[in-house]
Amino acid sequence: MLAQTVDRQTVHKMIHHFYAKLLEDKLVGHYFINSLGDNLENERWKDHLTTLDNFWLKMMTGKGAYGGHPFPPHAFLGEMYIETFERWLELFKEALNQFFIPKIADKFYKKSEILAAQFMYNLDIGNEED
Ligand code: HEM
């Protein structure tokens, strides 16, 4: 059944599924494998998944323990492209729709699009005028 509320448990389930899919993906998986390894059960991944749970709880409810800066780690992942972000967004949308009712899935997705656009802007990706 699709979740109708955003809480630690529902966010965690969606996030865990999303990152399992990202890891398997040809376009984006390698960024995560290079940075955190290929096993979601290792300590780095466990820490990362907790960070992401906290981040999305904060983004969606205003509560939660995330107090970091989401962009900086992305400046050190190697070359990324518009296609990398499009794939990330596509997989995120799939995961959201598998776990949350449409109204909540859309709210998550809109927030992720805004951040992805900011990250691309910071990384000078997709800026045709340069
Ligand atoms: C091309 C797409 C993306 C790739 C390949 C990517 C990859 C990564 C990787 C490898 C890390 C871990 C870095 C480390 O700790 O060493 C990370 C951290 C993170 N990412 Fe992404 N990411 C992408 C897009 C996004 C987007 C669109 C968002 C938000 C909507 C996001 C949110 C975060 C957050 C919150 C962290 C944790 C930052 C912290 O440690 O406080 N990422 N990302």
Side-chain angles (χ1 to χ4, degrees):
M1 207 171 75
L2 297 176
Q4 304 191 24
T5 50
V6 178
D7 57 33
R8 181 163 293 278
Q9 209 189 357
T10 55
V11 169
H12 182 75
K13 278 191 190 159
M14 180 275 291
I15 285 292
H16 197 280
H17 174 87
F18 172 54
Y19 282 93
K21 291 285 176 200
L22 276 182
L23 263 189
E24 289 172 0
D25 189 76
K26 283 202 176 74
L27 265 185
V28 289
H30 60 98
Y31 295 99
F32 293 92
I33 292 168
N34 287 343
S35 165
L36 302 165
D38 64 359
N39 180 358
L40 280 188
E41 303 304 322
N42 78 27
E43 288 307 312
R44 290 205 66 188
W45 264 109
K46 279 190 191 161
D47 281 356
H48 184 57
L49 293 175
T50 305
T51 303
L52 268 300
D53 292 349
N54 288 333
F55 170 75
W56 281 110
L57 266 178
K58 184 84 166 210
M59 292 282 287
M60 292 294 289
T61 68
K63 296 183 200 133
Y66 187 77
H69 299 284
F71 174 69
H74 300 89
F76 306 102
L77 299 180
E79 195 74 24
M80 293 202 276
Y81 308 92
I82 199 157
E83 293 79 13
T84 326
F85 280 90
E86 282 171 355
R87 185 70 183 136
W88 189 105
L89 286 166
E90 190 183 350
L91 290 170
F92 194 50
K93 186 182 256 183
E94 276 176 26
L96 290 168
N97 286 321
Q98 256 177 280
F99 284 86
F100 287 100
I101 56 168
K103 192 175 159 210
I104 296 179
D106 289 351
K107 189 172 167 193
F108 266 101
Y109 189 71
K110 286 205 176 90
K111 287 173 187 264
S112 72
E113 275 189 313
I114 292 168
L115 270 162
Q118 266 177 25
F119 287 8
M120 283 193 280
Y121 180 79
N122 292 348
L123 294 167
D124 240 348
I125 295 173
N127 186 352
E128 301 294 326
E129 278 152 42
D130 277 358

